Amino acid sequence: MTINTLQIATIWLDGCSGCHMSLLDMDEHLEKIAHLFDMVYSPLVDSTSLPASVDLILIEGAVSSEKDLEHLMNARKSAACLVALGDCAVTGNVPSMRNSFSLSDVLATSYQKDVSANPQIPTGFVPALLEHVTPLHAHVQVDHFLPGCPPPASAIFALLSHLLQGKQPDVSKLSRFGS
Amino acid sequence: MTDHRLQNSVRQRHSLHPEDIVTLVIDGQQLTADPNDTLLTIAQAHNIHIPTLCFLEGISAYGGCRVCLVEVEGYGKLVPACLTHPAEGIIVRTQSPRVIEYRKKIVELLLSERNHICSVCVTNGHCELQQLASTLGITHIRYPGLFPSLAIDASNTRFIHDPNRCVLCSRCVRVCAEIEGAHTWDIIHRGIKSRVSADLNQPWKEAVTCTGCGKCVQACPTGALSEQGKAVGEMLKKRYTESTT
Ligand code: SF4
Ligand code: SF4
Ligand code: SF4
Ligand code: FES
């Protein structure tokens, strides 16, 4: 590990993991930048806790549950630079489609409607859902936004390599809402 | 409103002598133009790109979306290029920081007003609103989404009206009234509650004035009007000219 190696983490909130897949889709390009960072916490690596201070955190997914919000707040405290990765993190995207309905209606439709055997709404073991799904910047300051569902690997590569070299990325031409 | 604006422009045309010509400056270019033309058409003729959304060549200009706002030196307000005629000697800026900032705000407000989930939309990849956001460099929306609850009208056997994707540009209203001559669509309610509706708020299949020509579907810049049976990204609009790219 050289002195300049940046510590990177990635976090998966309410998303489908597609943005993480797109990150891996960088394929051999990952190798070009691999020496510039250490992946210290991520669904893709083994470590189980987020260090108190990390240089860069990429977050996939919207804020849908109390747990998501807690993860996001911790991430913001820890991250020198925080990136909203993909449409769910940037706009709420597909998870936010439930915002047109009340949470109680959503839960009733999912767990009780047309269920004949002991219909019930879970009260423990799974994180409680928030009334509305929100993008990251509804709660914390986001330093960079990378839209796309998912953002193309080339856009993630451009963003990462800029940030790793201490440059300001402009990815607005490399990805867009929807992708 | 459209009629009133049309009459105004007709009145203006009649009060001018045909030999009238004005000089103006757009983005530093010295130009001469017919005062009956609009700043938009003059700019287009000189390859100066001004983004538009509610404007569609072949139907009347409406001035509803304000995406084409430009700055004219000495005018307090920004003016819509698609409706503004040139006065002698004006200096127009189409790309000033102020203009760009307003355009971004307008497009962000449009995106926050309804439910625009591009990743699951029939026009994903072919949508003028999505394209506008991209070319304006919009990477996120600064306004909280309103997430209205709006019913989709899929009653017509050939077409679907999804108000979740509508930007109230009224292109459907104008193409149906002015080209097809049916005037099936109009805008009901006021302000934030405004909606496009068929035949005094009937389900589309019960709109007796509709000839089923599909012009509205092709004129619509977004996924709000589409053909039945199209999946995500499959709805390409058939048009000879594109007004935004
Ligand atoms: S209409 Fe356009 S902007 Fe809206 S969701 Fe569909 S693709 Fe996105
Ligand atoms: S399909 Fe019907 S509503 Fe649409 S333009 Fe034609 S006549 Fe009008
Ligand atoms: S349905 Fe389409 S064409 Fe009609 S107002 Fe809405 S966005 Fe415009
Ligand atoms: S106001 Fe000019 S294009 Fe919409």
Side-chain angles (χ1 to χ4, degrees), chain B residues 40 50-56 61-69 80-83 169 174:
Chain B
L40 178 66
I50 300 173
T52 56
L53 185 60
C54 68
F55 179 82
L56 185 66
Y62 171 59
C65 74
R66 307 321 247 196
V67 165
C68 69
L69 285 178
C82 69
L83 280 182
C169 69
R174 286 171 287 145

Side-chain angles (χ1 to χ4, degrees), chain B residues 28-69:
Chain B
Q29 284 192 47
Q30 288 272 357
L31 307 171
T32 54
D34 181 336
N36 298 312
D37 284 344
T38 63
L39 297 182
L40 178 66
T41 49
I42 298 166
Q44 281 171 341
H46 293 87
N47 290 323
I48 299 167
H49 177 68
I50 300 173
T52 56
L53 185 60
C54 68
F55 179 82
L56 185 66
E57 211 181 317
I59 55 176
S60 63
Y62 171 59
C65 74
R66 307 321 247 196
V67 165
C68 69
L69 285 178

Side-chain angles (χ1 to χ4, degrees), chain A residues 124-139:
Chain A
F125 307 111
V126 287
L129 293 178
L130 298 168
E131 182 67 32
H132 290 117
V133 176
T134 39
L136 307 188
H137 68 282
H139 305 279

Side-chain angles (χ1 to χ4, degrees), chain B residues 1-184:
Chain B
M1 193 183 254
T2 313
D3 288 347
H4 163 76
R5 286 194 177 130
L6 267 178
Q7 280 160 16
N8 264 349
S9 97
V10 169
R11 248 200 308 278
Q12 266 182 345
R13 273 162 205 268
H14 285 296
S15 67
L16 287 160
H17 299 295
E19 66 271 24
D20 274 0
I21 275 188
V22 291
T23 58
L24 72 159
V25 177
I26 305 183
D27 293 347
Q29 284 192 47
Q30 288 272 357
L31 307 171
T32 54
D34 181 336
N36 298 312
D37 284 344
T38 63
L39 297 182
L40 178 66
T41 49
I42 298 166
Q44 281 171 341
H46 293 87
N47 290 323
I48 299 167
H49 177 68
I50 300 173
T52 56
L53 185 60
C54 68
F55 179 82
L56 185 66
E57 211 181 317
I59 55 176
S60 63
Y62 171 59
C65 74
R66 307 321 247 196
V67 165
C68 69
L69 285 178
V70 295
E71 196 171 53
V72 181
E73 225 175 83
Y75 291 12
K77 290 188 229 165
L78 301 179
V79 295
C82 69
L83 280 182
T84 306
H85 299 281
E88 176 55 39
I90 58 169
I91 298 172
V92 182
R93 277 182 286 269
T94 73
Q95 302 295 332
S96 71
R98 180 171 165 229
V99 164
I100 305 264
E101 183 52 24
Y102 271 99
R103 282 189 198 138
K104 282 185 162 180
K105 281 182 181 163
I106 288 162
V107 171
E108 285 176 53
L109 282 167
L110 287 175
L111 287 166
S112 69
E113 192 176 309
R114 300 282 173 102
N115 301 309
H116 290 280
I117 316 286
C118 302
S119 56
V120 292
C121 179
V122 282
T123 46
N124 185 19
H126 321 289
C127 169
E128 291 183 35
L129 180 63
Q130 184 188 37
Q131 185 59 45
L132 257 180
S134 173
T135 44
L136 287 169
I138 294 172
T139 57
H140 66 291
I141 300 154
R142 286 168 286 181
Y143 311 103
L146 295 184
F147 296 105
S149 184
L150 301 169
I152 294 173
D153 180 354
S155 63
N156 189 302
T157 51
R158 290 173 52 218
F159 310 121
I160 294 179
H161 174 216
D162 181 357
N164 294 289
R165 314 286 197 234
C166 176
V167 291
L168 296 169
C169 69
S170 96
R171 275 158 58 157
C172 57
V173 177
R174 286 171 287 145
V175 80
C176 182
E178 297 170 15
I179 308 293
E180 182 62 5
H183 205 149
T184 300

